[in-house]
Amino acid sequence: MIGKWHLGHHGSYHPNFRGFDYYFGIPYSHDMGCTDTPGYNHPPCPACPRGDRPLRNLERDCYNDVALPLYENLNIVEQPVNLSSLAQKYAEKATQFIQHASASGRPFLLYVGLAHMHVPLSRTQLSADAQGRGPYGAGLREMDSLVGQIKGKVDHTAKENTFLWFTGDNGPWAQKCELAGSVGPFTGSWQSHQ
């Protein structure tokens, strides 16, 4: 298991005690900091600007330095985790695992939980917006690249007998304005009941 676990790290909730032989990631959502309390998001970005007021300064007004621990199995290897390099570390660990598992010839399961498309966005995502589509678009492009790296390793080592399954659990979060993305022609958003 590589990535966002979001079930915590205490006792039997840790991935190593839930059937995973290997774990590299953060034990809860990357907006939760040093707590297992759901919904922790301190301090959040300020409210969405109204009318003609300028957009927020995302580098200054939004909190990006969350004191999350990065675990490798039961050991904390970095705290606070550097969110700007975390996604690339996930891709590297995933491709290493695929290489070793494929070489062994045994069946394997790899679960990768990327934290993309959820605030806070990393500094890499905030600054990588060369095409002017906003931080959400930059994050989506980065996630696409990382998934491409992982799929590329599967295609190179185990294409004929590997099943890839993609899911997502976050939609646009209206309270996060330009950080939230868009539903395009569809209706509803995260935490709405439409």
Side-chain angles (χ1 to χ4, degrees):
M1 193 276 142
I2 296 169
K4 177 178 89 168
W5 176 241
H6 208 158
L7 294 178
H9 63 284
H10 297 296
S12 65
Y13 294 104
H14 191 282
N16 287 135
F17 301 117
R18 296 305 228 179
F20 290 99
D21 297 327
Y22 177 78
Y23 172 60
F24 182 82
I26 56 177
Y28 25 78
S29 182
H30 65 291
D31 66 343
M32 292 173 68
C34 297
T35 181
D36 270 345
T37 306
Y40 181 83
N41 188 8
H42 178 77
C45 294
C48 298
R50 300 272 186 214
D52 293 334
R53 292 185 10 214
L55 292 177
R56 302 171 290 190
N57 180 333
L58 300 177
E59 292 283 347
R60 187 188 73 229
D61 295 339
C62 298
Y63 189 70
N64 288 310
D65 298 322
V66 183
L68 284 169
L70 176 62
Y71 277 82
E72 185 161 23
N73 293 315
L74 299 173
N75 300 312
I76 294 175
V77 295
E78 184 180 351
Q79 188 176 19
V81 65
N82 179 348
L83 291 177
S84 295
S85 63
L86 184 59
Q88 187 57 44
K89 288 178 185 175
Y90 287 166
E92 290 168 6
K93 292 289 186 179
T95 56
Q96 288 170 5
F97 174 83
I98 292 165
Q99 181 68 42
H100 289 106
S102 297
S104 77
R106 295 184 325 201
F108 64 89
L109 167 73
L110 171 63
Y111 168 71
V112 180
L114 297 174
H116 283 72
M117 317 328 302
H118 189 293
V119 294
L121 300 176
S122 72
R123 293 192 197 287
T124 301
Q125 292 170 304
L126 293 175
S127 60
D129 187 26
Q131 297 177 341
R133 293 190 182 138
Y136 193 85
L140 189 58
R141 281 190 305 282
E142 182 184 53
M143 182 179 69
D144 183 61
S145 172
L146 296 170
V147 169
Q149 289 177 47
I150 295 168
K151 183 186 177 304
K153 180 54 80 173
V154 167
D155 286 349
H156 183 71
T157 60
K159 185 176 183 175
E160 281 73 38
N161 60 1
T162 301
F163 178 66
L164 298 174
W165 185 14
F166 297 92
T167 67
D169 69 345
N170 290 311
W173 190 355
Q175 295 172 329
K176 300 301 180 180
C177 317
E178 70 276 13
L179 302 176
S182 168
V183 294
F186 304 105
T187 61
S189 62
W190 185 69
Q191 293 184 331
S192 69
H193 303 283
Q194 296 178 339

